[in-house]
Amino acid sequence: MTSHFPDISISTERLVLRPFEEADIPPLTDMMNDELTAAWTTAPTPYTRRDAHEWIVRRAPAERRTGRGIVFAVTEHLTQRLVGSAHLMNTNWRNRSTEIGYIIGPWARGEGYAAETVLAVAQWLFRDQRFERLELRTAAGNTASQQVAQKAGCVSEGVLRNARIVRSRTEDGGWTDIRTDTIVWSLLPEDLEDR
């Protein structure tokens, strides 16, 4: 039984999901320093080019090699511009289940790229990798991410109370960690039968 994902790219009409490259360091740094991205992720803040280099060269490839998941740079098909990131994590090979996280850069929000990314990854997982479950977890206050889950056809399964730490701006312009609830969503192969 395979215990890691293949080194692949996934294409849709508008997007190419591929491994990160060193040329992605500047736009990845910009994306991760965006206010909304910083608020909803656990990435370092401020996010430096050195952080981006470490992610692209060492940490993202290790996700795939160790079997924990896989990381995709989300790029526009026509321009090849980096518009986001998708990360499969907490992969359980025995249960054939994994969790997806995603980030869309502020310059590409509102285009439907996040839902398109989730659906492309789900279709690949269920069809080519024979997975049985894709899970998505959103912070209770992250309504944009909840809308992505709904648009992708995910089913809300419930709330994990006080299960996540997010960031909030302080009066002096810094960040502070706060606890919040997490909404758990899922996609199963049968949820995509009509898509």
Side-chain angles (χ1 to χ4, degrees), residues 16-179:
V16 176
L17 284 62
R18 58 159 174 79
F20 272 97
E21 303 166 351
E22 289 194 50
D24 298 320
I25 290 173
L28 177 61
T29 304
D30 291 344
M31 182 170 64
M32 298 306 290
N33 280 311
D34 171 63
E35 188 90 5
L36 285 177
T37 302
W40 300 119
T41 68
T42 58
T45 182
Y47 194 87
T48 66
R49 285 182 179 234
R50 184 175 179 181
D51 293 323
H53 183 269
E54 174 76 2
W55 177 251
I56 289 170
V57 171
R58 192 179 72 75
R59 293 180 64 207
E63 287 291 290
R64 191 186 70 77
R65 280 195 314 271
T66 61
R68 289 188 303 257
I70 189 169
V71 177
F72 295 104
V74 179
T75 63
E76 288 177 326
H77 183 68
L78 292 177
T79 66
Q80 286 134 36
R81 176 178 71 148
L82 182 73
V83 295
S85 175
H87 183 185
L88 293 181
M89 58 198 138
N90 303 320
T91 303
N92 184 317
W93 290 96
R94 185 168 187 270
N95 289 338
R96 306 302 279 182
S97 67
T98 191
E99 177 184 344
I100 190 167
Y102 48 83
I103 297 166
I104 299 296
W107 55 87
R109 290 188 187 132
E111 300 293 328
Y113 289 158
E116 186 172 335
T117 296
V118 170
L119 282 169
V121 170
Q123 289 165 344
W124 168 74
L125 268 176
F126 298 151
R127 183 186 64 237
D128 297 350
Q129 301 299 304
R130 302 290 185 243
F131 267 60
E132 296 295 329
R133 176 181 171 85
L134 178 61
E135 191 170 289
L136 192 155
R137 294 175 177 224
T138 62
N142 191 344
T143 55
S145 196
Q146 292 161 29
Q147 289 170 348
V148 168
Q150 291 170 335
K151 188 173 179 184
C154 296
V155 174
S156 175
E157 296 183 331
V159 175
L160 300 174
R161 298 183 307 148
N162 215 23
R164 174 176 273 188
I165 294 177
V166 297
R167 295 185 184 116
S168 179
R169 277 287 187 195
T170 59
E171 288 182 16
D172 65 359
W175 293 98
T176 187
D177 289 344
I178 57 171
R179 293 201 73 88

